[in-house]
Amino acid sequence: MSELIGQTPLFELAVSTETGSRVFLKLETMNPTGAAKIRMARAMILEAERRELLRPGGHIIESTSGNTGLGLAVVARERGYRFTAVVDHHACKSKLNAMRSMGTELVFVGDGDDEGLSTNAREELAEKLAAEEGPTAYFPAQHHNSANAIGYYALAAELAADLGKIDVLIAAVGTGGALFGTARGLRELGRSPRLVGVEPEGSIAFGGPAHDYWQSGTGTPLGADPGLHVDEDLHLIDAQDRVKVSDADAFATTRVLAAELGLMIGGSSGSSVYTALTRLNTYPDHSVVVVVINDDGEKYLDTVFDDEWMSDRDLLDREREAAVLAVLRACTPPGRPDPREIEVLRDLHYALPDTFALKNGLSGSELRDYVDEQLPQAKLIRLLELADMPAHRIGEILAQGDDDAVLRALDKHRKQLADRAAVLADLLADLRGTRDPHDTHTILVPPAGPESAAAPRPDRAFAE
């Protein structure tokens, strides 16, 4: 399952009619477990193995509100470890049940009537249990683990490859790994986006006042330590970009995306999307804004998407939902043809000829000619696909609908392919230069040289 981590899709959510800035959602919901945190769960375990802190058959003990635990459960199953998750009753039941289904032992802090967030108590208990067990146990301590952030370097590489430029990066801040880890990876690739951190009202990482909140897996409640990454990198976020979002606004956004687009995301991701939509017109013209969507909404069917649960906590606000919907509809991206839809339609014309074709007995080459007349874009789509152009780029070309757009796009694509070919040529030259002349089979590893700009370098502490 861990081989399915990453390469998550981008969804274009909004375009400002005033500035031309665009909002893309990085759908980490498409990872195994439906969350971004499986990236850092794997990185922490691999680093523990490398440092021999976790040995074969060992026992992982970690405090979690759910998504880190789900990621660790998968990695533990694959690599032969026991896993104990220290949890509280604030966590969504579906997350707890999912961990149980993968063989995780759950240890609760507090009693069943206490729905409060108990981050500090969880971490203290997890550390204590690991210390009592001794060397067979490993406590990852995600808030203080440098491998947490490094787990998101691959996310940075995906964004750089898919978008080229990233002007603004928005993410919810809990451990800080997703925002700051992705930002570090982007800096290694020569991108330095403006960082916008989002936490719930009531969280203290950006300052007080402190109070309870219902957004799960994010923020820093009173008494908890924000952790290594927030301590080291909070200064990278300007004061005006340290945003607090209420539960009501976060959940209203989450519910609107589901009702309007069929897009199910978690509540903390709703706070990030709310921030992106309400601030879109404040960014420089033609900015590329990326929002990291931390987890999927199916985990919250009995909370955020349950009217009774929302009403009991005075969080259900139809007027607020209507306001978010109005903002969303005001910046809906312009429509563009989906090349895959056109290809499917072409196949349907061949397999199930329309009324005109049937009445006139069209078949064979006559039917193909007729379909070409009905769907003239299909031939262009196939030619662009042969040039290895991705579907969303083809859709943009079709939307512009002129030959110059095709020529410009092909010329840009040709240059990109030429750059890739040049990198491959250099690599082949390096490998051939280090080949043993008496060995016709083995290619020796090339000598260490400057780090490639095509992939981020690991953090120094992690590398050591």
Side-chain angles (χ1 to χ4, degrees), residues 279-291:
R279 293 181 165 221
L280 181 56
N281 291 334
T282 68
Y283 299 129
D285 291 358
H286 305 292
S287 292
V288 174
V289 181
V290 174
V291 182

Side-chain angles (χ1 to χ4, degrees), residues 375-397:
L375 298 166
Q377 295 168 317
K379 182 177 180 180
L380 173 61
I381 291 168
R382 284 199 299 279
L383 291 174
L384 294 176
E385 287 176 337
L386 286 174
D388 199 28
M389 188 173 287
H392 68 280
R393 299 288 184 219
I394 297 174
E396 290 171 356
I397 293 170

Side-chain angles (χ1 to χ4, degrees), residues 146-218:
S146 61
N148 176 340
I150 295 164
Y152 295 98
Y153 276 33
L155 193 158
E158 292 167 26
L159 290 177
D162 288 341
L163 291 172
K165 75 162 188 161
I166 300 98
D167 299 300
V168 182
L169 179 66
I170 302 175
V173 175
T175 67
L179 179 62
F180 298 124
T182 304
R184 287 185 195 177
L186 287 170
R187 288 198 299 274
E188 294 284 354
L189 294 169
R191 279 87 169 172
S192 297
R194 176 177 173 179
L195 302 185
V196 178
V198 184
E199 71 172 354
E201 289 183 356
S203 173
I204 61 167
F206 302 161
H211 57 75
D212 292 340
Y213 55 86
W214 287 103
Q215 294 173 60
S216 177
T218 186

Side-chain angles (χ1 to χ4, degrees), residues 67-109:
N67 284 326
T68 300
L70 289 170
L72 287 171
V74 171
V75 178
R77 287 295 90 193
E78 288 187 344
R79 305 182 80 82
Y81 302 117
R82 290 173 55 211
F83 173 45
T84 295
V86 180
V87 299
D88 55 36
H89 294 278
H90 180 88
C92 291
K93 290 183 176 60
S94 61
K95 294 180 183 180
L96 302 177
N97 290 335
M99 283 189 279
R100 282 196 187 98
S101 72
M102 290 185 277
T104 300
E105 177 189 3
L106 300 184
V107 175
F108 285 86
V109 297

Side-chain angles (χ1 to χ4, degrees), residues 61-374:
I61 304 175
E62 176 64 330
S63 161
T64 177
S65 60
N67 284 326
T68 300
L70 289 170
L72 287 171
V74 171
V75 178
R77 287 295 90 193
E78 288 187 344
R79 305 182 80 82
Y81 302 117
R82 290 173 55 211
F83 173 45
T84 295
V86 180
V87 299
D88 55 36
H89 294 278
H90 180 88
C92 291
K93 290 183 176 60
S94 61
K95 294 180 183 180
L96 302 177
N97 290 335
M99 283 189 279
R100 282 196 187 98
S101 72
M102 290 185 277
T104 300
E105 177 189 3
L106 300 184
V107 175
F108 285 86
V109 297
D111 57 48
D113 295 327
D114 179 13
E115 291 186 325
L117 193 58
S118 305
T119 305
N120 199 42
R122 290 198 323 254
E123 291 181 352
E124 288 178 353
L125 179 57
E127 184 175 19
K128 177 184 175 184
L129 292 174
E132 289 176 349
E133 180 171 326
T136 59
Y138 172 60
F139 171 48
Q142 58 181 301
H143 284 80
H144 302 281
N145 193 318
S146 61
N148 176 340
I150 295 164
Y152 295 98
Y153 276 33
L155 193 158
E158 292 167 26
L159 290 177
D162 288 341
L163 291 172
K165 75 162 188 161
I166 300 98
D167 299 300
V168 182
L169 179 66
I170 302 175
V173 175
T175 67
L179 179 62
F180 298 124
T182 304
R184 287 185 195 177
L186 287 170
R187 288 198 299 274
E188 294 284 354
L189 294 169
R191 279 87 169 172
S192 297
R194 176 177 173 179
L195 302 185
V196 178
V198 184
E199 71 172 354
E201 289 183 356
S203 173
I204 61 167
F206 302 161
H211 57 75
D212 292 340
Y213 55 86
W214 287 103
Q215 294 173 60
S216 177
T218 186
T220 305
L222 186 65
D225 184 349
L228 171 73
H229 303 299
V230 176
D231 286 344
E232 288 184 346
D233 290 341
L234 183 59
H235 70 278
L236 298 174
I237 308 177
D238 291 339
Q240 72 269 21
D241 291 328
R242 301 176 188 180
V243 182
K244 290 179 178 284
V245 176
S246 69
D247 289 335
D249 284 328
F251 295 165
T253 305
T254 300
R255 290 164 62 95
V256 165
L257 291 183
E260 181 75 355
L261 302 175
L263 176 60
M264 302 283 289
I265 66 173
S268 64
S269 296
S271 68
S272 298
V273 174
Y274 178 83
T275 300
L277 291 175
T278 55
R279 293 181 165 221
L280 181 56
N281 291 334
T282 68
Y283 299 129
D285 291 358
H286 305 292
S287 292
V288 174
V289 181
V290 174
V291 182
V292 180
I293 302 301
N294 296 313
D295 71 341
D296 61 53
E298 284 81 356
K299 301 183 181 79
Y300 307 96
L301 294 176
D302 57 352
T303 56
V304 177
F305 295 102
D306 185 306
D307 287 359
E308 184 177 350
W309 185 93
M310 291 280 289
S311 296
D312 288 346
R313 290 152 183 81
D314 199 26
L315 295 171
L316 188 62
D317 190 329
R318 300 298 188 187
E319 290 185 3
R320 201 177 300 245
E321 290 181 17
V324 172
L325 179 59
V327 173
L328 179 64
R329 287 180 174 174
C331 53
T332 299
R336 66 178 181 227
D338 185 335
R340 291 158 295 195
E341 187 174 297
I342 294 171
E343 286 297 317
V344 169
L345 188 57
R346 182 186 181 90
D347 292 337
L348 288 173
H349 269 287
Y350 281 147
L352 303 169
D354 63 24
T355 303
F356 177 84
L358 289 171
K359 282 183 177 180
N360 290 274
L362 299 183
S363 62
S365 61
E366 290 182 331
L367 180 56
R368 285 193 295 274
D369 290 342
Y370 171 73
V371 172
D372 285 340
E373 291 176 2
Q374 297 300 306

Side-chain angles (χ1 to χ4, degrees), residues 405-418:
V406 176
L407 292 173
R408 288 193 302 271
L410 280 174
D411 188 53
K412 181 179 179 181
H413 191 60
R414 177 190 60 78
K415 291 176 181 176
Q416 292 173 338
L417 294 177

